[in-house]
Amino acid sequence: EPEVTQTPSHQVTQMGQEVILRCVPISNHLYFYWYRQILGQKVEFLVSFYNNEISEKSEIFDDQFSVERPDGSNFTLKIRSTKLEDSAMYFCASSVMGSSNQPQHFGDGTRLSIL
Amino acid sequence: DQQVKQNSPSLSVQEGRISILNCDYTNSMFDYFLWYKKYPAEGPTFLISISSIKDKNEDGRFTVFLNKSAKHLSLHIVPSQPGDSAVYFCAALLRGSNYKLTFGKGTLLTVNP
């Protein structure tokens, strides 16, 4: 079964450094998403992306965050200057369409640890 | 922000019995609900969903019930199997937004052999 793949599985970064998290969505999917889960808290929506544009973003997704689809297969999340509170599991997801009856499929996540 | 609430952090059931996982929501603008299952070190896996125009949806051993007036939904697993042991997340979509899933905190289900 096709799946969303994320790399790396664990990223350790010094505070203030830039980090790029990578995702390869399912190949025929057109909508892409990032979520995060801080330890002990809920999974939180960050951003959705379609047709090379952000379609929706949360208040968490401030100017320190950006997303990009640099080629036909990858979807990346960049955090420009990491803070301690950015430590979390980051999940990428994709869906065929942006409709409610097309569920989002999640990758296994990248654990980001900021030191 | 407690728009989607799963008040039971954990549930333990015997193999073969019914598991009932509960979820409450506060925002009446939610119109689509989903259940995801998550094993350790893996991402959430979609299980089953229900539109707000329905009150029940069934898929094999999994049934989701929606009570709009009570703003409550539940996931029934019958019969429960040890492989069902995982964290179950309830999630919701707002009317007019097909992108932003709002999750509950999850319920850890343990099915004992």
Side-chain angles (χ1 to χ4, degrees), chain A residues 4 6 23 25 29-35 45-49 55-56 67 75 91-99 102-106, chain B residues 93 98-101:
Chain A
V4 176
Q6 291 186 243
C23 169
H29 286 191
L30 300 177
Y31 289 77
F32 316 116
Y33 315 84
W34 284 101
Y35 290 79
F45 171 83
L46 291 177
V47 66
S48 60
F49 191 85
S55 42
E56 190 169 354
V67 288
F75 178 52
F91 293 106
C92 174
S94 67
S95 61
V96 174
M97 295 174 63
S99 61
Q102 296 292 331
Q104 296 175 26
H105 295 264
F106 285 76
Chain B
L93 282 168
N98 293 323
Y99 312 120
K100 177 185 173 181
L101 285 170

Side-chain angles (χ1 to χ4, degrees), chain A residues 35 42 56 98 100 104 107-108, chain B residues 4 32 36 43 97-99 101:
Chain A
Y35 290 79
K42 296 183 179 185
E56 190 169 354
S100 54
Q104 296 175 26
D108 288 342
Chain B
V4 177
Y32 203 83
Y36 282 83
S97 169
N98 293 323
Y99 312 120
L101 285 170

Side-chain angles (χ1 to χ4, degrees), chain A residues 6-39:
Chain A
Q6 291 186 243
T7 54
S9 56
H10 190 190
Q11 174 79 46
V12 182
T13 301
Q14 291 288 331
M15 186 173 60
Q17 295 296 305
E18 174 183 287
V19 66
I20 297 176
L21 309 182
R22 302 180 190 280
C23 169
V24 179
I26 295 172
S27 62
N28 65 331
H29 286 191
L30 300 177
Y31 289 77
F32 316 116
Y33 315 84
W34 284 101
Y35 290 79
R36 79 174 185 190
Q37 185 179 27
I38 294 171
L39 188 63

Side-chain angles (χ1 to χ4, degrees), chain B residues 75-96:
Chain B
L75 174 68
H76 293 212
I77 307 173
V78 183
S80 301
Q81 299 172 354
D84 295 330
S85 298
V87 177
Y88 288 77
F89 292 102
C90 172
L93 282 168
L94 283 170
R95 186 174 306 126

Side-chain angles (χ1 to χ4, degrees), chain B:
Chain B
D1 178 6
Q2 289 283 317
Q3 294 191 78
V4 177
K5 292 183 275 193
Q6 294 177 257
N7 291 320
S8 298
S10 63
L11 174 68
S12 183
V13 300
Q14 285 299 119
E15 181 178 5
R17 308 293 286 267
I18 185 171
S19 296
I20 299 177
L21 298 128
N22 293 305
C23 178
D24 298 292
Y25 62 96
T26 57
N27 193 336
S28 57
M29 296 297 287
F30 287 138
D31 71 346
Y32 203 83
F33 303 90
L34 306 90
W35 284 94
Y36 282 83
K37 177 170 79 171
K38 185 182 180 305
Y39 294 118
E42 294 185 12
T45 301
F46 170 72
L47 261 181
I48 191 168
S49 61
I50 188 166
S51 165
S52 60
I53 62 172
K54 296 187 173 183
D55 55 17
K56 178 182 174 181
N57 188 28
E58 191 172 352
D59 183 3
R61 297 187 296 115
F62 302 92
T63 303
V64 56
F65 295 91
L66 175 62
N67 182 334
K68 279 184 66 176
S69 61
K71 295 191 176 70
H72 177 83
L73 61 155
S74 60
L75 174 68
H76 293 212
I77 307 173
V78 183
S80 301
Q81 299 172 354
D84 295 330
S85 298
V87 177
Y88 288 77
F89 292 102
C90 172
L93 282 168
L94 283 170
R95 186 174 306 126
S97 169
N98 293 323
Y99 312 120
K100 177 185 173 181
L101 285 170
T102 300
F103 282 86
K105 287 192 82 170
T107 297
L108 174 62
L109 172 67
T110 303
V111 180
N112 301 303

Side-chain angles (χ1 to χ4, degrees), chain A residues 19-21 34 46 61 65-67 75-79 90:
Chain A
V19 66
I20 297 176
L21 309 182
W34 284 101
L46 291 177
F61 195 88
F65 291 87
S66 62
V67 288
F75 178 52
T76 62
L77 174 70
K78 182 194 291 187
I79 308 175
Y90 286 81

Side-chain angles (χ1 to χ4, degrees), chain A residues 59-76:
Chain A
E59 59 278 3
I60 303 168
F61 195 88
D62 61 21
D63 291 346
Q64 291 299 309
F65 291 87
S66 62
V67 288
E68 189 179 29
R69 187 151 165 83
D71 54 43
S73 60
N74 290 284
F75 178 52
T76 62

